[in-house]
Amino acid sequence: MPYLRPRIEDTKDTPIETIVMLTAFYGFRRSEVLGIRWKSIDFVNDTLTIDNTITNMGGIIEKERTKNKASHRTMPLTNDVKNHLIQLMEHQENNKLLFGKEYINNDYVCKWEDGKPISPSYVSHKFKEIIDKNELEPITFHSLRHSCASILLAEGFDIKKIQEWLGHSSVSTTGNIYAHVQYSSKIEMGDALSSVINFT
């Protein structure tokens, strides 16, 4: 995934920095990462639970449920993710003092400086803006989820484990991503052979 690292770095100090970092690492859906609440993060046992979502249909809609049963899952907090979130929590506590009565109190992890939840449509728009500005591969925000799956596949994890990590309802959904990755690899192999073998 040659384009993954620059994309994360280029979101630093933007409103979607944490959103992109969590999505790239865990392969979350956009609605899932925006729905993460502080009460769903356990810093003692180092876990993060997906049990809530935020959608964007004519306005921000909060749901006390996930897309499907498999989507409701508990993920491990690595040291890097944990440290990032602890720093973010401290930053948000400072924002509460800074904005005072104007601060919008809620339990969401990903939000604006004044506490207002970030809309899904803004995430997609801002992500495209960053992609265009830095002349990166033209992909959608959802492609980060596929990038996560591709990395896990390349590292040798089986389809069933990746299905559980991504919260797919069935192995066939994960298998479709695997097939796409496999075909992409074949294209690269074909290009490599074409550069060596001269047919003219």
Side-chain angles (χ1 to χ4, degrees), residues 11 15 60 113 140 176:
T11 62
I60 296 176
E113 297 286 275
T140 64
N176 289 335

Coordinates of all heavy atoms in Angstrom, one line a residue, residues 11 15 60 113 140 176:
T11 N -3.0 14.2 6.7 CA -4.2 14.6 7.4 C -3.9 15.2 8.8 O -4.7 15.6 9.5 CB -5.1 13.4 7.6 OG1 -4.5 12.4 8.4 CG2 -5.6 12.8 6.3
P15 N -9.2 18.3 10.7 CA -10.3 17.8 11.5 C -10.5 16.3 11.3 O -11.2 15.7 12.1 CB -11.5 18.6 10.9 CG -10.9 19.9 10.4 CD -9.6 19.5 9.8
I60 N -27.3 15.0 10.4 CA -26.6 14.0 11.2 C -27.6 13.2 12.0 O -28.4 13.7 12.7 CB -25.6 14.6 12.1 CG1 -24.5 15.4 11.3 CG2 -25.0 13.6 13.0 CD1 -23.5 16.1 12.2
E113 N -13.7 21.2 17.1 CA -13.1 21.8 18.3 C -14.1 22.3 19.4 O -13.9 22.2 20.6 CB -12.2 23.0 18.0 CG -11.0 22.7 17.1 CD -9.9 22.0 17.8 OE1 -9.1 22.7 18.4 OE2 -9.9 20.8 17.8
T140 N -11.5 6.9 -2.9 CA -12.5 7.4 -2.0 C -12.1 7.1 -0.5 O -11.2 6.2 -0.3 CB -13.9 6.7 -2.2 OG1 -13.8 5.3 -2.0 CG2 -14.3 6.9 -3.7
N176 N -14.7 -11.2 -1.7 CA -14.7 -10.3 -2.9 C -13.6 -9.4 -2.9 O -13.0 -9.1 -4.0 CB -16.1 -9.5 -3.0 CG -17.2 -10.4 -3.3 OD1 -17.1 -11.5 -3.9 ND2 -18.4 -10.0 -2.9

